Amino acid sequence: NVLAKEDLTLLIDTLAQFKEMGADLENSFNLMGYELDTSEEYLNLFNELRRLDDMSILHSVMINWAKTSPTDVLERLNQIEDNAERKELSRTVFYSWMRKSPEIAADYFLAEAANKVEILKDIMRAWPEDRASDALVWISSQSNIDANRYKIDYLQRLSYIKPNFVLANLTSINLDKDEEVAFHRNLYNIFKRKSSKDAAQFLNTTPFKDEILGIATEQENSDENRVAKINQVFNKYFDFKYKKAFALALGANGTYAYSYVVNKPSQNEANQLALSRCEKYRYRHNVDNACEIYAEGDVKMFNLMP
């Protein structure tokens, strides 16, 4: 940091030596430029650091520069001819600025965007969670967009992190009956994972208690059917001998994918091949969780819970 302010030539020569020795510049110098005061100082440092051809250390400088003058950073980045490099560094500035001043950053990026739909999605994804109320106010103030849809998407993403906030703000969005039930069902499942007491309290206050319980019962039946089908396949697998493996992925709403292989030269090869084939089926059937080894030989690695 001293050299960044006092002697850029010596700084770059020193960093180049570290890089030749295999040093991880990103982790070793993640506060590079932290003590610089002006945008001009950051610009000079950025220009010199580009000589190192090391994107990792550039990112750390960009984060601190963006705190001083994000528009100056972006103006400099627009001069970079390499589209991939410019885009990657611009994303760093985008998220850094959004964390510090989301309203100002959002106004700037929306005004500059060629694709306003995509930038609005990015803005709502990057908005700091501790400024969630401001996000709803900002999106409501935008014209010529479906603000209600963006607020719905935003609250859906927040559900897992701030369910109480989402619950308190459901009246700020317009939902049809099916969407309301889906929102309340999702919140109930989240509360249930966090606290049975909170889940019970929520269930007693929601106007969709019967619908939620009905869906929950249907889900339980779906899970039971899934276990029965998997056990049926496993019974066939169990009859085989020698090196074999059974891979399994369990997803939401009763979805699943599996694959098993038998008569392989080694257990490791059987495991890898079963996982590889299972992953192909998982993507084909949109199962959200990754495949795991359910059985090595005849030994089950975990139990199926309906």
Side-chain angles (χ1 to χ4, degrees):
N1 278 312
V2 172
L3 290 178
K5 196 172 182 67
E6 303 295 339
D7 194 333
L8 286 179
T9 300
L10 179 57
L11 170 67
I12 303 305
D13 290 343
T14 304
L15 291 178
Q17 293 178 40
F18 284 135
K19 186 175 180 180
E20 288 178 4
M21 291 186 290
D24 185 340
L25 298 186
E26 180 181 20
N27 292 331
S28 301
F29 302 98
N30 56 10
L31 294 179
M32 177 66 66
Y34 184 75
E35 296 182 7
L36 298 184
D37 301 315
T38 67
S39 183
E40 183 178 359
E41 289 177 321
Y42 278 108
L43 174 60
N44 292 334
L45 175 60
F46 177 81
N47 288 337
E48 291 298 318
L49 285 175
R50 289 198 73 220
R51 288 167 38 201
L52 292 175
D53 191 27
D54 192 307
M55 291 287 286
S56 63
I57 197 170
L58 280 179
H59 282 292
S60 63
V61 174
M62 307 272 292
I63 292 172
N64 290 316
W65 188 6
K67 294 176 182 178
T68 301
S69 181
T71 54
D72 285 352
V73 189
L74 293 168
E75 182 180 347
R76 173 64 183 87
L77 294 183
N78 286 335
Q79 300 171 21
I80 296 177
E81 294 183 359
D82 188 309
N83 185 60
E85 180 184 0
R86 183 175 66 253
K87 186 175 181 179
E88 183 177 348
L89 292 174
S90 296
R91 298 296 293 173
T92 298
V93 180
F94 171 77
Y95 283 104
S96 179
W97 196 3
M98 283 295 302
R99 283 192 295 270
K100 181 183 179 186
S101 306
E103 291 94 345
I104 298 174
D107 287 340
Y108 175 90
F109 288 112
L110 183 60
E112 296 291 320
N115 188 328
K116 303 209 179 282
V117 172
E118 287 303 315
I119 196 61
L120 279 167
K121 291 179 181 178
D122 289 342
I123 287 170
M124 300 311 290
R125 279 193 289 262
W127 204 287
E129 294 156 10
D130 59 351
R131 300 279 300 277
S133 295
D134 297 331
L136 295 178
V137 172
W138 183 84
I139 199 67
S140 297
S141 68
Q142 304 308 307
S143 58
N144 301 321
I145 67 167
D146 184 356
N148 185 63
R149 176 46 54 188
Y150 284 100
K151 287 197 287 185
I152 290 174
D153 292 343
Y154 182 64
L155 290 177
Q156 285 177 331
R157 284 196 296 274
L158 278 184
S159 294
Y160 297 94
I161 306 167
K162 305 182 70 171
N164 286 309
F165 174 86
V166 173
L167 182 60
N169 285 275
L170 283 182
T171 55
S172 69
I173 56 178
N174 298 318
L175 299 169
D176 61 29
K177 176 66 178 297
D178 290 340
E179 288 175 324
E180 281 191 285
V181 172
F183 248 107
H184 282 250
R185 175 201 174 194
N186 188 44
L187 287 172
Y188 172 67
N189 288 331
I190 291 167
F191 280 124
K192 190 165 60 173
R193 284 195 291 268
K194 294 177 178 291
S195 164
S196 57
K197 180 180 178 181
D198 290 346
Q201 182 178 353
F202 170 79
L203 197 59
N204 289 328
T205 57
T206 176
F208 304 107
K209 180 177 181 179
D210 292 341
E211 289 89 340
I212 291 173
L213 291 177
I215 293 173
T217 301
E218 182 181 327
Q219 178 65 40
E220 290 171 4
N221 292 335
S222 176
D223 288 341
E224 290 175 358
N225 292 334
R226 175 174 64 181
V227 171
K229 292 176 181 178
I230 293 171
N231 284 336
Q232 186 177 16
V233 176
F234 184 81
N235 288 336
K236 295 180 180 179
Y237 161 86
F238 191 80
D239 291 335
F240 288 97
K241 304 299 182 183
Y242 309 111
K243 297 294 187 291
K244 60 182 181 177
F246 192 115
L248 177 65
L250 301 176
N253 301 319
T255 60
Y256 66 97
Y258 71 88
S259 179
Y260 66 79
V261 296
V262 299
N263 300 336
K264 296 303 170 186
S266 68
Q267 188 61 58
N268 181 63
E269 184 175 336
N271 288 4
Q272 296 304 315
L273 186 56
L275 285 171
S276 175
R277 292 178 178 177
C278 179
E279 284 293 308
K280 292 180 181 179
Y281 292 123
R282 178 173 81 87
Y283 285 114
R284 185 180 302 173
H285 297 290
N286 296 317
V287 180
D288 47 1
N289 293 321
C291 293
E292 301 178 74
I293 293 298
Y294 175 51
E296 285 189 354
D298 293 335
V299 180
K300 292 182 180 180
M301 310 305 293
F302 57 89
N303 294 321
L304 297 178
M305 299 296 292

